[in-house]
Amino acid sequence: MSTEPAAAQALLIAAQERLVTELTLIELLVTLGIVAVLASIVVPSAQLVQQRQKEQELRLALRDIRQALDAYKRASDEGRVEKEAGATGYPPSLEMLAAGVEDRRSPKREKIHFIRRIPRDPFHTDPEVPATQTWGLRAYASEAVDPRPGDNVYDVHTLSNAKGLNGIALRDW
């Protein structure tokens, strides 16, 4: 008679252990499901933040380069930068904006620098390419709808074919 209660107790203990194991597995699956749902919400949000940050960097880089191009043109129009007759007054390359040019009005012939450094296009994927080559160039003689390089740099644009969050192609910014 003493073996029957012991056997029943052993069966009860085994059933409880199996129930605890099954509950732990179910709890684990529910937890994994919750984590998967949260990750599916966070990942697109993180991608959106990254895209927004790259677009902001692009806006700032375009503004800085365009301001430097305008400053070069102003200096050329004022006679501070040497230019050939009939030239547009825009620099022949982006490198000249950072390298500087001789100020013709300065008695010491000091250099005028229009930008500290040429920023990289944040959408250019190859880090080995120099910053000046990450941009698409537009010469003064080319049309805005079909920008082409030429003997001067009138404007710059990204080489990326992506669209911005606003739906406008980044090349058209």
Side-chain angles (χ1 to χ4, degrees):
M1 287 220 179
S2 64
T3 58
E4 282 181 28
Q9 190 174 14
L11 283 173
L12 183 60
I13 291 173
Q16 286 176 342
E17 286 177 358
R18 192 170 6 108
L19 182 61
V20 168
T21 304
E22 289 173 4
L23 283 179
T24 304
L25 182 59
I26 291 171
E27 290 170 348
L28 179 64
L29 291 174
V30 168
T31 303
L32 285 175
I34 292 171
V35 168
V37 167
L38 291 175
S40 69
I41 293 170
V42 170
V43 169
S45 177
Q47 290 171 339
L48 181 68
V49 167
Q50 183 181 19
Q51 175 76 10
R52 194 172 288 143
Q53 180 182 12
K54 286 175 82 172
E55 286 184 14
Q56 181 64 22
E57 289 175 29
L58 178 63
R59 274 189 205 92
L60 293 175
L62 288 170
R63 185 199 66 200
D64 289 348
I65 294 172
R66 288 172 177 161
Q67 285 178 345
L69 289 169
D70 291 342
Y72 186 100
K73 172 69 168 140
R74 261 191 314 278
S76 176
D77 291 346
E78 293 168 356
R80 297 178 66 192
V81 173
E82 186 175 337
K83 81 174 178 180
E84 296 177 18
T88 62
Y90 287 98
S93 68
L94 285 178
E95 289 87 353
M96 288 190 74
L97 297 173
V101 293
E102 186 178 286
D103 185 352
R104 292 181 53 202
R105 288 192 180 171
S106 170
K108 296 181 181 178
R109 297 290 189 207
E110 295 172 340
K111 281 189 166 186
I112 307 170
H113 297 274
F114 301 96
I115 195 169
R116 288 181 186 235
R117 65 173 180 78
I118 302 297
R120 289 187 69 75
D121 178 350
F123 287 92
H124 198 277
T125 56
D126 188 357
E128 300 298 319
V129 175
T132 55
Q133 294 175 14
T134 62
W135 298 101
L137 305 178
R138 176 183 171 208
Y140 183 76
S142 74
E143 295 295 323
V145 293
D146 186 25
R148 299 208 183 268
D151 58 351
N152 58 45
V153 181
Y154 175 69
D155 196 11
V156 295
H157 59 87
T158 183
L159 296 172
S160 173
N161 292 324
K163 285 194 174 190
L165 294 174
N166 60 1
I168 299 172
L170 296 176
R171 292 178 63 98
D172 296 336
W173 284 20

mmCIF file of all heavy atoms in Angstrom, residues 76-105:
data_model
loop_
_atom_site.group_PDB
_atom_site.id
_atom_site.type_symbol
_atom_site.label_atom_id
_atom_site.label_comp_id
_atom_site.label_asym_id
_atom_site.label_seq_id
_atom_site.Cartn_x
_atom_site.Cartn_y
_atom_site.Cartn_z
ATOM 1 N N SER A 76 35.201 86.905 -59.150
ATOM 2 C CA SER A 76 35.567 87.030 -60.560
ATOM 3 C C SER A 76 34.983 88.294 -61.173
ATOM 4 O O SER A 76 35.667 89.034 -61.886
ATOM 5 C CB SER A 76 35.087 85.791 -61.327
ATOM 6 O OG SER A 76 35.346 85.929 -62.704
ATOM 7 N N ASP A 77 33.726 88.571 -60.889
ATOM 8 C CA ASP A 77 33.071 89.772 -61.411
ATOM 9 C C ASP A 77 33.703 91.053 -60.855
ATOM 10 O O ASP A 77 33.708 92.088 -61.518
ATOM 11 C CB ASP A 77 31.572 89.761 -61.094
ATOM 12 C CG ASP A 77 30.818 88.694 -61.869
ATOM 13 O OD1 ASP A 77 31.381 88.132 -62.845
ATOM 14 O OD2 ASP A 77 29.655 88.404 -61.491
ATOM 15 N N GLU A 78 34.221 90.976 -59.634
ATOM 16 C CA GLU A 78 34.866 92.136 -58.999
ATOM 17 C C GLU A 78 36.309 92.310 -59.453
ATOM 18 O O GLU A 78 36.982 93.252 -59.038
ATOM 19 C CB GLU A 78 34.829 91.980 -57.473
ATOM 20 C CG GLU A 78 33.433 92.039 -56.889
ATOM 21 C CD GLU A 78 33.386 91.593 -55.427
ATOM 22 O OE1 GLU A 78 34.430 91.156 -54.877
ATOM 23 O OE2 GLU A 78 32.299 91.670 -54.832
ATOM 24 N N GLY A 79 36.812 91.375 -60.248
ATOM 25 C CA GLY A 79 38.187 91.464 -60.729
ATOM 26 C C GLY A 79 39.217 90.927 -59.764
ATOM 27 O O GLY A 79 40.416 91.140 -59.942
ATOM 28 N N ARG A 80 38.798 90.230 -58.754
ATOM 29 C CA ARG A 80 39.737 89.675 -57.777
ATOM 30 C C ARG A 80 40.325 88.353 -58.240
ATOM 31 O O ARG A 80 41.378 87.949 -57.783
ATOM 32 C CB ARG A 80 39.031 89.492 -56.430
ATOM 33 C CG ARG A 80 38.571 90.832 -55.842
ATOM 34 C CD ARG A 80 37.845 90.647 -54.559
ATOM 35 N NE ARG A 80 38.783 90.137 -53.551
ATOM 36 C CZ ARG A 80 38.403 89.659 -52.369
ATOM 37 N NH1 ARG A 80 37.123 89.631 -52.049
ATOM 38 N NH2 ARG A 80 39.293 89.229 -51.518
ATOM 39 N N VAL A 81 39.616 87.675 -59.141
ATOM 40 C CA VAL A 81 40.068 86.388 -59.670
ATOM 41 C C VAL A 81 40.340 86.574 -61.155
ATOM 42 O O VAL A 81 39.532 87.162 -61.876
ATOM 43 C CB VAL A 81 38.987 85.296 -59.460
ATOM 44 C CG1 VAL A 81 39.373 84.009 -60.141
ATOM 45 C CG2 VAL A 81 38.739 85.076 -57.991
ATOM 46 N N GLU A 82 41.472 86.079 -61.599
ATOM 47 C CA GLU A 82 41.830 86.197 -63.012
ATOM 48 C C GLU A 82 40.886 85.354 -63.861
ATOM 49 O O GLU A 82 40.611 84.205 -63.540
ATOM 50 C CB GLU A 82 43.265 85.717 -63.209
ATOM 51 C CG GLU A 82 43.772 85.932 -64.605
ATOM 52 C CD GLU A 82 45.231 85.551 -64.739
ATOM 53 O OE1 GLU A 82 45.955 85.527 -63.727
ATOM 54 O OE2 GLU A 82 45.635 85.271 -65.872
ATOM 55 N N LYS A 83 40.396 85.970 -64.948
ATOM 56 C CA LYS A 83 39.556 85.224 -65.875
ATOM 57 C C LYS A 83 39.849 85.682 -67.290
ATOM 58 O O LYS A 83 40.198 86.840 -67.522
ATOM 59 C CB LYS A 83 38.076 85.331 -65.528
ATOM 60 C CG LYS A 83 37.366 86.567 -65.975
ATOM 61 C CD LYS A 83 35.863 86.474 -65.694
ATOM 62 C CE LYS A 83 35.184 87.781 -66.109
ATOM 63 N NZ LYS A 83 33.761 87.747 -65.863
ATOM 64 N N GLU A 84 39.710 84.752 -68.192
ATOM 65 C CA GLU A 84 39.966 85.057 -69.594
ATOM 66 C C GLU A 84 38.788 85.829 -70.170
ATOM 67 O O GLU A 84 37.654 85.720 -69.680
ATOM 68 C CB GLU A 84 40.167 83.753 -70.377
ATOM 69 C CG GLU A 84 41.383 82.972 -69.947
ATOM 70 C CD GLU A 84 41.517 81.655 -70.690
ATOM 71 O OE1 GLU A 84 40.887 81.481 -71.750
ATOM 72 O OE2 GLU A 84 42.249 80.804 -70.198
ATOM 73 N N ALA A 85 39.048 86.568 -71.235
ATOM 74 C CA ALA A 85 37.988 87.325 -71.895
ATOM 75 C C ALA A 85 36.937 86.357 -72.418
ATOM 76 O O ALA A 85 37.249 85.323 -73.005
ATOM 77 C CB ALA A 85 38.566 88.145 -73.048
ATOM 78 N N GLY A 86 35.694 86.665 -72.167
ATOM 79 C CA GLY A 86 34.597 85.824 -72.628
ATOM 80 C C GLY A 86 34.277 84.659 -71.707
ATOM 81 O O GLY A 86 33.329 83.914 -71.944
ATOM 82 N N ALA A 87 35.050 84.475 -70.633
ATOM 83 C CA ALA A 87 34.793 83.387 -69.686
ATOM 84 C C ALA A 87 33.603 83.755 -68.799
ATOM 85 O O ALA A 87 33.275 84.931 -68.627
ATOM 86 C CB ALA A 87 36.020 83.107 -68.830
ATOM 87 N N THR A 88 32.965 82.751 -68.262
ATOM 88 C CA THR A 88 31.764 82.964 -67.446
ATOM 89 C C THR A 88 32.070 83.505 -66.056
ATOM 90 O O THR A 88 31.219 84.105 -65.425
ATOM 91 C CB THR A 88 30.981 81.650 -67.276
ATOM 92 O OG1 THR A 88 31.810 80.716 -66.585
ATOM 93 C CG2 THR A 88 30.552 81.104 -68.623
ATOM 94 N N GLY A 89 33.260 83.230 -65.569
ATOM 95 C CA GLY A 89 33.602 83.657 -64.221
ATOM 96 C C GLY A 89 33.388 82.576 -63.182
ATOM 97 O O GLY A 89 33.645 82.782 -62.004
ATOM 98 N N TYR A 90 32.940 81.405 -63.621
ATOM 99 C CA TYR A 90 32.792 80.281 -62.693
ATOM 100 C C TYR A 90 34.080 79.470 -62.690
ATOM 101 O O TYR A 90 34.824 79.473 -63.677
ATOM 102 C CB TYR A 90 31.593 79.404 -63.091
ATOM 103 C CG TYR A 90 30.278 80.079 -62.782
ATOM 104 C CD1 TYR A 90 29.572 80.755 -63.775
ATOM 105 C CD2 TYR A 90 29.773 80.086 -61.488
ATOM 106 C CE1 TYR A 90 28.378 81.405 -63.485
ATOM 107 C CE2 TYR A 90 28.590 80.742 -61.195
ATOM 108 C CZ TYR A 90 27.902 81.393 -62.192
ATOM 109 O OH TYR A 90 26.737 82.040 -61.884
ATOM 110 N N PRO A 91 34.374 78.771 -61.587
ATOM 111 C CA PRO A 91 35.653 78.051 -61.502
ATOM 112 C C PRO A 91 35.718 76.879 -62.490
ATOM 113 O O PRO A 91 34.693 76.275 -62.806
ATOM 114 C CB PRO A 91 35.675 77.545 -60.051
ATOM 115 C CG PRO A 91 34.243 77.458 -59.653
ATOM 116 C CD PRO A 91 33.553 78.571 -60.391
ATOM 117 N N PRO A 92 36.925 76.563 -62.958
ATOM 118 C CA PRO A 92 37.068 75.434 -63.872
ATOM 119 C C PRO A 92 36.920 74.074 -63.176
ATOM 120 O O PRO A 92 36.672 73.065 -63.831
ATOM 121 C CB PRO A 92 38.469 75.593 -64.452
ATOM 122 C CG PRO A 92 39.185 76.507 -63.533
ATOM 123 C CD PRO A 92 38.158 77.315 -62.815
ATOM 124 N N SER A 93 37.061 74.041 -61.854
ATOM 125 C CA SER A 93 36.927 72.777 -61.114
ATOM 126 C C SER A 93 36.502 73.060 -59.680
ATOM 127 O O SER A 93 36.680 74.172 -59.176
ATOM 128 C CB SER A 93 38.253 72.012 -61.110
ATOM 129 O OG SER A 93 39.204 72.718 -60.330
ATOM 130 N N LEU A 94 35.975 72.036 -59.032
ATOM 131 C CA LEU A 94 35.615 72.165 -57.613
ATOM 132 C C LEU A 94 36.862 72.318 -56.750
ATOM 133 O O LEU A 94 36.831 72.995 -55.713
ATOM 134 C CB LEU A 94 34.825 70.938 -57.152
ATOM 135 C CG LEU A 94 33.378 70.834 -57.596
ATOM 136 C CD1 LEU A 94 32.757 69.537 -57.083
ATOM 137 C CD2 LEU A 94 32.558 72.019 -57.125
ATOM 138 N N GLU A 95 37.958 71.690 -57.159
ATOM 139 C CA GLU A 95 39.194 71.732 -56.375
ATOM 140 C C GLU A 95 39.661 73.163 -56.133
ATOM 141 O O GLU A 95 40.223 73.486 -55.089
ATOM 142 C CB GLU A 95 40.302 70.930 -57.068
ATOM 143 C CG GLU A 95 40.110 69.436 -57.046
ATOM 144 C CD GLU A 95 39.263 68.902 -58.204
ATOM 145 O OE1 GLU A 95 38.695 69.720 -58.984
ATOM 146 O OE2 GLU A 95 39.158 67.685 -58.325
ATOM 147 N N MET A 96 39.432 74.050 -57.109
ATOM 148 C CA MET A 96 39.890 75.437 -56.985
ATOM 149 C C MET A 96 39.201 76.166 -55.838
ATOM 150 O O MET A 96 39.765 77.097 -55.271
ATOM 151 C CB MET A 96 39.661 76.188 -58.291
ATOM 152 C CG MET A 96 40.606 75.759 -59.386
ATOM 153 S SD MET A 96 40.514 76.842 -60.797
ATOM 154 C CE MET A 96 41.363 78.275 -60.176
ATOM 155 N N LEU A 97 37.981 75.760 -55.514
ATOM 156 C CA LEU A 97 37.259 76.425 -54.427
ATOM 157 C C LEU A 97 37.978 76.232 -53.099
ATOM 158 O O LEU A 97 38.041 77.156 -52.282
ATOM 159 C CB LEU A 97 35.835 75.896 -54.334
ATOM 160 C CG LEU A 97 34.934 76.126 -55.542
ATOM 161 C CD1 LEU A 97 33.608 75.399 -55.355
ATOM 162 C CD2 LEU A 97 34.729 77.606 -55.791
ATOM 163 N N ALA A 98 38.505 75.032 -52.874
ATOM 164 C CA ALA A 98 39.191 74.734 -51.619
ATOM 165 C C ALA A 98 40.672 75.107 -51.686
ATOM 166 O O ALA A 98 41.236 75.588 -50.701
ATOM 167 C CB ALA A 98 39.039 73.259 -51.273
ATOM 168 N N ALA A 99 41.301 74.884 -52.835
ATOM 169 C CA ALA A 99 42.729 75.188 -52.966
ATOM 170 C C ALA A 99 42.981 76.687 -52.930
ATOM 171 O O ALA A 99 44.027 77.148 -52.472
ATOM 172 C CB ALA A 99 43.270 74.593 -54.264
ATOM 173 N N GLY A 100 42.018 77.445 -53.429
ATOM 174 C CA GLY A 100 42.148 78.892 -53.428
ATOM 175 C C GLY A 100 42.784 79.406 -54.701
ATOM 176 O O GLY A 100 43.443 78.669 -55.433
ATOM 177 N N VAL A 101 42.559 80.690 -54.956
ATOM 178 C CA VAL A 101 43.139 81.360 -56.118
ATOM 179 C C VAL A 101 43.760 82.669 -55.658
ATOM 180 O O VAL A 101 43.378 83.232 -54.626
ATOM 181 C CB VAL A 101 42.075 81.621 -57.217
ATOM 182 C CG1 VAL A 101 41.594 80.325 -57.823
ATOM 183 C CG2 VAL A 101 40.915 82.414 -56.681
ATOM 184 N N GLU A 102 44.697 83.166 -56.436
ATOM 185 C CA GLU A 102 45.383 84.396 -56.089
ATOM 186 C C GLU A 102 44.427 85.581 -56.203
ATOM 187 O O GLU A 102 43.725 85.738 -57.199
ATOM 188 C CB GLU A 102 46.562 84.585 -57.038
ATOM 189 C CG GLU A 102 47.437 85.754 -56.690
ATOM 190 C CD GLU A 102 48.610 85.866 -57.640
ATOM 191 O OE1 GLU A 102 49.528 85.040 -57.519
ATOM 192 O OE2 GLU A 102 48.579 86.775 -58.491
ATOM 193 N N ASP A 103 44.432 86.414 -55.175
ATOM 194 C CA ASP A 103 43.608 87.621 -55.166
ATOM 195 C C ASP A 103 44.370 88.707 -55.919
ATOM 196 O O ASP A 103 45.403 89.192 -55.462
ATOM 197 C CB ASP A 103 43.323 88.044 -53.727
ATOM 198 C CG ASP A 103 42.363 89.222 -53.620
ATOM 199 O OD1 ASP A 103 42.023 89.817 -54.673
ATOM 200 O OD2 ASP A 103 41.961 89.536 -52.489
ATOM 201 N N ARG A 104 43.873 89.110 -57.065
ATOM 202 C CA ARG A 104 44.548 90.093 -57.903
ATOM 203 C C ARG A 104 44.535 91.483 -57.275
ATOM 204 O O ARG A 104 45.349 92.324 -57.632
ATOM 205 C CB ARG A 104 43.882 90.137 -59.279
ATOM 206 C CG ARG A 104 44.127 88.843 -60.042
ATOM 207 C CD ARG A 104 43.514 88.840 -61.407
ATOM 208 N NE ARG A 104 43.939 90.031 -62.180
ATOM 209 C CZ ARG A 104 43.252 90.510 -63.205
ATOM 210 N NH1 ARG A 104 42.143 89.926 -63.593
ATOM 211 N NH2 ARG A 104 43.681 91.566 -63.864
ATOM 212 N N ARG A 105 43.662 91.747 -56.353
ATOM 213 C CA ARG A 105 43.599 93.054 -55.692
ATOM 214 C C ARG A 105 44.497 93.141 -54.454
ATOM 215 O O ARG A 105 44.734 94.222 -53.948
ATOM 216 C CB ARG A 105 42.166 93.367 -55.291
ATOM 217 C CG ARG A 105 41.293 93.689 -56.467
ATOM 218 C CD ARG A 105 40.004 94.267 -55.964
ATOM 219 N NE ARG A 105 39.114 94.612 -57.050
ATOM 220 C CZ ARG A 105 37.864 94.968 -56.873
ATOM 221 N NH1 ARG A 105 37.354 95.024 -55.660
ATOM 222 N NH2 ARG A 105 37.115 95.270 -57.898
#
